[in-house]
Amino acid sequence: MKATQLKLVPPGDVEIAGGSLSEIERRLPEPERGLLRSAVQFARVRLEGRALASGEPALDHALATAGILYELRLDAEALAAAQLAPVALLAPDELKGVRERFGVAVGGLVEGVVRMAQLESVSTRNKVEPKPGQWEAQSEALRKMLLAMVQDVRVVLVKLADHLQELRFLVKHEPGPIREEKARLTHELFAPLASRLGVWQLKWEMEDLSLRIREPDAYRTIARWLDEKRADRESYIENVVAQLKGELARAGIAAEVSGRPKNIYSIYKKVQRKSMGFESLYDVRAVRVLVDDVKDCYAALGLTHNLWSPIPKEFDDYIAKPKSNRYRSLHTAVIGPGGRAVEIQIRTHEMHQHAELGVAAHWRYKEGVRGGDHSFDEKLAWLRQILDWKESVRDAGELAEHFRAGLVDDAIYVLTPQGRVIELPRDATPVDFAYHVHSGLGHRCRGAKVDGVMVPLNTPLANGQQVEILPLKQGGPSRDWLNPALGYVKSAGARSKIRQWFHRQNLAASVSQGRAIVDKELHRQGAVGLGIEKLAAQLGYARVDDFLADAGRGDIRPRQLQEAVRSLMTVPGGAQDATDAEPLTAPRRRAAPADRGGVLVVGVDRLLTVPARCCKPVPPEPIVGFVTRGRGVSVHRAGCANVGRLDPVRVVPAQWGNASGLSFAVDIEVEAVSRPTLAREISDVLARDHIRVLATRPDVHGTQARLRITLEVGDLGQLRGVLAHLRDVPGVARVGRR
C-alpha cells in the first residue's frame, strides 16, 4: 500500500493522502466540517515542537494518522480524535478540556485511545516472560482486554492507524529497543486485531513493516525476489487479465479484472508453513475479478474453469460459507497460460469494499441518509457483535493469524503489576484476582491497590485496571470472604480454595471432635476395646485420621457409625475384644498416664476426657474432672462457677499431663468502637500471632461493637499474649475471656 504523504502547509491548507484538509471537509456534512479544522488548530498549538517517545514529531504523527484514517473513509469525529490523542498522551490534563471543547463523542474516542496506549505501555514496560506455550495465550488475552475496554469500534481503528504510523516512522531509523518492541506488539497484538476486524489495508502494511524490523534478511530476500521477477510477472498478469476480460465480455458479464498484489509477509508465512520454494506459490501471480451480483460470481467462476484447468483442492467458497469476519469471495487456482499457476479471486463490488476496508467501511458517510437502510443496520449490529464477542470463533485462512478471541459478557481483563493479563468473572474482586495469580497470595491477601489507589477487598474490578495485592508474610483467609452478602469473592475457583484452606486448618480439630464422637459411641455400646482402625476399615477408610475427621465434620451419620460398631461386634474376635474390655464401673485407684487430651485423671485409666464448654480450660490452669454419664470425664477450670453445682461424689482430681503440641479452644470477647476496618485489624493481629479462629460472632449496636471469638491456643501464655496485642488495637475498650 502506498505510504500516506503529509505535510503541514502554514498558514494555509494541510495536505492529507493526496488531497487536502479542505477536500476532506467537502466530503463531510456541513455541521462536521469545522470539527476537523478546529481539532487540527487545537493540536497545532499544543504539539508544535514536541516529539513522541519514538522521536517522531507529534504534530506530523497526528496528521499522518488522520491521513490513514481518511483512506479508510472514517468520519470527522475519528479524524479529530487522531489529532487530539497525542495532545492527551503528552499532557493528560488536556483530556478534560478536549471533552469540554469537542463534545462527549470525540472526548470518548480520545480517552479510549489514551487508555489503549497506557495498556500498551504497561505491557511494554513490564513485559513478563511467559512459560513455553503461553505467548499466544497472553497475546490473545491482551487483545480481548483491549476490545472489552472500548464501547466504540472507532477507538480500535484510530489506535491501529496510530500504531501503523509509528511503524512507518521507526522502520526508517536505526534498530533500537523501541523499534523492536513496536514490531513485537504488531505481530502479537495489532496485526491480529486488524485481521479480526477485516481492515486488510492496515493489516498487510503492519505485517510487512513488522517483518522488515524483526526478520530483515528474510524481508530483503523476498522483496528482492519479487522485484527481480516483477517485469515478467506484470507482463504475464496483463496477458491473463486480457484473456479473462475478453471471455467475460463475450458472456455478457460486466466485470473489472485486475492484478492483485501479494504482501511480503503472507509470502513469508506460506513459505514457512508449506516448506516450499517461491516458484511453487500459486498466489504470487494473482488476479481479482469484481462483478455486480452473486450470480455473476459463479458465472465468472465457471468461465474461468472452462478457460484454464483448475488445480485440485485449491478452491474455497467463502460466499456460501463466509469467514467469521464476514469476508466473502470465491478463491480458485488454475493452470494459466504457459503452464503457470495463477490464483483468481471473484467477488462483488460490495464484498470487495468490505474486504478492503472491513469495519471501517461501515462508518462511511451515507450521503445524509439517517436510518431506513436495513443493510446498514445489519452491519451496525455486526459491529456490536464484534464488540460483545458473543461467540468464540476461529478465523482460518491464508491471511489470518489463526487466533481465537472469544470475548463474553461475563468476563473482565485486568493487569498484574508486571503487565500480565488476567481473565476474571465480571464484578470479580481483588480477592478473586489474588487467588487466580496464586493460592498462597490469596490466603495472605490483606489489602489491594487498583491503579495505585488503596481499595476495599470487595471492590468490583473493571477492564484494564492494574491490580496489586498487599499480602501478609503469613496468614490465612477470613471466613467473611465466604459470605455472599459481603461480596468478597465472585469466582468459584477462589471460593473452593478458601474452603480447602479452612478444611486443612480445621483438620486437627475435626479429628479430635471425631475421636470424641467415636469413643462415645463405643462406650455406649460397651465396645471400648474395639479398635478404631477396624471401625475405620469397616466404613471404607484407609486412614484413621480421615475417618475421624469425617466423623467430626458430620459426614458420617450417627446411624452409619452405630451399624458399623454392631457389625464388628458380631464378627468373631470383634465381640471377644469388646467383652474382654475392662468395665468402666471398676476403676483402679491410680494415676492414669496422659491420654490423648493431655490430662491425667486420678483413679480412672484410659477414660475419655473432654474440655468443659462452660469454661474451656487451658494449661497450666488448675483443673478438676467430673465423671459424666456416657461422655467420659468433663474437665473444668478449678475456679469454674459450675463446679460448685456438680455432684461432689463424681468430681475427681485431675492435672495436666504432656499437652505439648496440642491446641485448646477458648472463648474471648472484644468490646470496641464500631468502624468498617475493625474486623480486619483484629484479624490481622490474630494472623500475626498465628492464632487459628474457629468462630466469630459480631454484635453491633450503634457505635459500639462486641465480638465473641473462639480461638485455638496452645497454652495460657499464648492466650495472654494475644489478649495483650488485641488491647493495642485502636478503639478497643476491653478484651477478656468469656
Side-chain angles (χ1 to χ4, degrees):
M1 187 177 78
K2 182 181 70 175
T4 303
Q5 300 296 326
L6 304 105
K7 61 180 180 178
L8 188 62
V9 187
D13 208 351
V14 177
E15 294 184 2
I16 298 179
S20 67
L21 188 59
S22 59
E23 291 175 2
I24 297 176
E25 290 174 357
R26 283 194 293 273
R27 178 178 60 84
L28 299 173
E30 183 66 33
E32 299 179 14
R33 291 180 180 177
L35 176 62
L36 179 57
R37 183 168 293 276
S38 178
V40 170
Q41 296 300 332
F42 186 90
R44 178 183 296 176
V45 172
R46 288 157 180 80
L47 297 180
E48 191 72 58
R50 304 191 67 177
L52 302 177
S54 63
E56 182 180 14
L59 187 57
D60 291 352
H61 176 88
L63 292 169
T65 302
I68 296 171
L69 294 173
Y70 170 68
E71 290 186 347
L72 294 176
R73 299 297 186 265
L74 260 71
D75 57 19
E77 290 177 347
L79 294 174
Q83 303 302 302
L84 301 171
V87 175
L89 282 169
L90 292 174
D93 294 342
E94 294 278 5
L95 187 57
K96 182 179 179 181
V98 167
R99 187 180 290 273
E100 291 175 351
R101 177 164 178 176
F102 294 95
V104 174
V106 174
L109 291 175
V110 173
E111 184 177 3
V113 174
V114 170
R115 290 184 66 194
M116 290 185 74
Q118 290 170 343
L119 287 175
E120 176 190 347
S121 176
V122 170
S123 175
T124 302
R125 185 173 61 252
N126 300 323
K127 184 66 179 175
V128 177
E129 293 293 330
K131 296 178 181 178
Q134 289 186 343
W135 279 110
E136 177 58 24
Q138 269 299 292
S139 299
E140 177 184 337
L142 185 56
R143 292 194 292 265
K144 290 159 73 173
M145 179 177 67
L146 291 178
L147 285 180
M149 288 173 54
V150 301
Q151 299 300 316
D152 189 330
V153 75
R154 292 175 297 176
V155 171
V156 183
L157 298 175
V158 174
K159 180 56 189 173
L160 290 175
D162 169 83
H163 186 78
L164 174 58
Q165 175 53 32
E166 281 189 306
L167 283 179
R168 289 178 177 177
F169 177 79
L170 290 170
V171 79
K172 302 174 185 177
H173 293 73
E174 293 297 321
I178 292 181
R179 196 170 86 147
E180 299 298 326
E181 187 60 34
K182 293 296 181 181
R184 180 189 66 79
L185 282 172
T186 302
H187 177 69
E188 295 178 9
L189 177 62
F190 291 110
L193 272 180
S195 175
R196 184 60 185 87
L197 294 175
V199 192
W200 306 115
Q201 287 175 294
L202 303 189
K203 166 188 157 64
W204 290 333
E205 186 175 357
M206 282 196 289
E207 286 176 338
D208 282 359
L209 294 177
S210 173
L211 180 66
R212 184 174 173 182
I213 293 172
R214 293 185 302 112
E215 300 285 348
D217 293 338
Y219 179 90
R220 282 192 293 268
T221 299
I222 298 173
R224 189 182 307 113
W225 179 80
L226 289 175
D227 189 59
E228 290 172 355
K229 304 291 183 180
R230 186 180 306 279
D232 176 64
R233 189 171 64 254
E234 289 178 352
S235 174
Y236 183 84
I237 289 296
E238 288 176 3
N239 181 31
V240 171
V241 167
Q243 290 190 48
L244 191 53
K245 272 185 176 180
E247 194 72 16
L248 292 169
R250 284 189 289 274
I253 298 175
E256 294 180 15
V257 185
S258 60
R260 183 179 70 85
K262 182 74 173 177
N263 72 314
I264 292 175
Y265 180 76
S266 61
I267 296 175
Y268 170 79
K269 289 291 289 184
K270 180 165 284 192
V271 169
Q272 279 197 327
R273 187 169 65 249
K274 297 191 175 182
S275 301
M276 59 172 61
F278 296 133
E279 291 293 345
S280 302
L281 296 177
Y282 297 139
D283 52 355
V284 172
R285 292 174 291 271
V287 170
R288 179 175 292 132
V289 180
L290 303 182
V291 295
D292 293 332
D293 51 41
V294 173
K295 66 179 178 61
D296 288 343
C297 290
Y298 289 100
L301 176 67
L303 288 172
T304 302
H305 285 177
N306 285 333
L307 189 60
W308 298 298
S309 298
I311 299 174
K313 298 182 180 180
E314 292 296 328
F315 171 68
D316 292 295
D317 187 347
Y318 295 119
I319 294 179
K321 190 177 181 181
K323 293 185 180 182
S324 60
N325 56 14
R326 289 181 56 127
Y327 173 85
R328 296 190 301 160
S329 183
L330 297 177
H331 290 192
T332 187
V334 298
I335 302 299
R340 298 181 182 181
V342 183
E343 185 192 57
I344 311 288
Q345 291 184 356
I346 306 171
R347 61 179 71 140
T348 67
H349 293 280
E350 183 182 5
M351 294 174 192
H352 179 64
Q353 181 186 73
H354 180 276
E356 289 295 294
L357 300 178
V359 174
H362 305 299
W363 291 95
R364 289 184 175 185
Y365 173 53
K366 301 268 309 163
E367 301 297 337
V369 177
R370 292 291 183 267
D373 187 336
H374 182 68
S375 175
F376 186 66
D377 291 342
E378 285 183 349
K379 293 174 182 178
L380 291 179
W382 176 71
L383 287 180
R384 177 51 53 195
Q385 180 182 350
I386 284 182
L387 292 180
D388 291 343
W389 295 75
K390 300 294 186 186
E391 301 175 359
S392 293
V393 291
R394 187 171 294 276
D395 192 7
E398 68 179 51
L399 298 178
E401 282 297 315
H402 301 280
F403 74 94
R404 191 178 178 204
L407 275 185
V408 290
D409 284 341
D410 58 352
I412 61 170
Y413 302 86
V414 295
L415 289 165
T416 67
Q418 294 76 32
R420 186 158 67 95
V421 180
I422 302 295
E423 180 178 350
L424 296 171
R426 186 161 297 280
D427 296 327
T429 66
V431 176
D432 292 302
F433 173 88
Y435 275 103
H436 186 99
V437 173
H438 193 277
S439 297
L441 182 64
H443 295 332
R444 296 180 289 110
C445 171
R446 285 299 179 274
K449 289 183 179 180
V450 175
D451 291 335
V453 179
M454 288 288 296
V455 299
L457 289 179
N458 58 356
T459 302
L461 300 176
N463 278 308
Q465 291 180 327
Q466 188 179 57
V467 185
E468 179 184 357
I469 298 300
L470 307 177
L472 296 173
K473 290 185 177 179
Q474 292 182 336
S478 167
R479 285 191 180 274
D480 288 342
W481 295 356
L482 294 175
N483 185 345
L486 299 179
Y488 282 101
V489 176
K490 294 294 182 181
S491 65
R495 192 174 293 110
S496 174
K497 291 175 181 178
I498 295 170
R499 288 189 179 127
Q500 290 174 9
W501 187 90
F502 281 113
H503 174 80
R504 289 192 301 268
Q505 298 303 310
N506 294 335
L507 182 61
S510 298
V511 168
S512 176
Q513 188 173 357
R515 192 181 298 277
I517 292 171
V518 172
D519 283 348
K520 177 181 178 180
E521 184 61 31
L522 292 176
H523 277 85
R524 194 182 69 80
Q525 296 198 40
V528 178
L530 188 65
I532 293 180
E533 292 80 2
K534 294 181 180 179
L535 190 56
Q538 177 71 11
L539 288 168
Y541 288 88
R543 296 178 66 249
V544 172
D545 280 356
D546 292 342
F547 161 63
L548 294 176
D550 281 358
R553 286 192 291 265
D555 293 339
I556 300 176
R557 297 191 301 274
R559 179 175 290 276
Q560 286 179 283
L561 190 58
Q562 293 166 11
E563 291 176 353
V565 174
R566 292 194 191 104
S567 177
L568 282 175
M569 290 179 68
T570 62
V571 175
Q576 182 67 32
D577 291 342
T579 305
D580 291 344
E582 181 180 300
L584 186 61
T585 56
R588 280 171 259 171
R589 303 298 298 176
R590 60 183 174 79
D595 71 351
R596 299 181 185 94
V599 178
L600 296 169
V601 180
V602 177
V604 182
D605 188 8
R606 286 197 298 258
L607 187 61
L608 173 69
T609 60
V610 293
R613 295 181 180 178
C614 57
C615 57
K616 290 187 171 68
V618 177
E621 293 178 311
I623 55 176
V624 296
F626 176 73
V627 181
T628 67
R629 300 184 187 278
R631 291 194 303 111
V633 176
S634 175
V635 180
H636 293 256
R637 279 190 277 167
C640 177
N642 289 331
V643 171
R645 294 191 286 270
L646 299 175
D647 184 354
V649 176
R650 293 160 62 191
V651 176
V652 296
Q655 64 187 54
W656 295 104
N658 181 15
S660 61
L662 299 178
S663 58
F664 301 86
V666 61
D667 293 331
I668 68 169
E669 190 172 77
V670 180
E671 293 182 0
V673 177
S674 176
R675 63 181 189 281
T677 61
L678 177 63
R680 180 175 60 80
E681 293 174 11
I682 291 176
S683 178
D684 289 347
V685 170
L686 298 176
R688 284 196 300 270
D689 287 350
H690 310 298
I691 300 297
R692 185 177 303 156
V693 178
L694 300 181
T696 304
R697 294 168 294 283
D699 184 14
V700 179
H701 294 284
T703 60
Q704 296 300 311
R706 178 177 297 169
L707 285 78
R708 297 178 177 86
I709 308 173
T710 302
L711 311 174
E712 273 191 357
V713 296
D715 54 36
L716 192 60
Q718 187 180 25
L719 175 61
R720 288 171 177 166
V722 72
L723 293 179
H725 293 158
L726 288 173
R727 292 188 186 100
D728 292 336
V729 174
V732 170
R734 188 187 70 84
V735 179
R737 290 178 69 176
R738 292 179 56 208

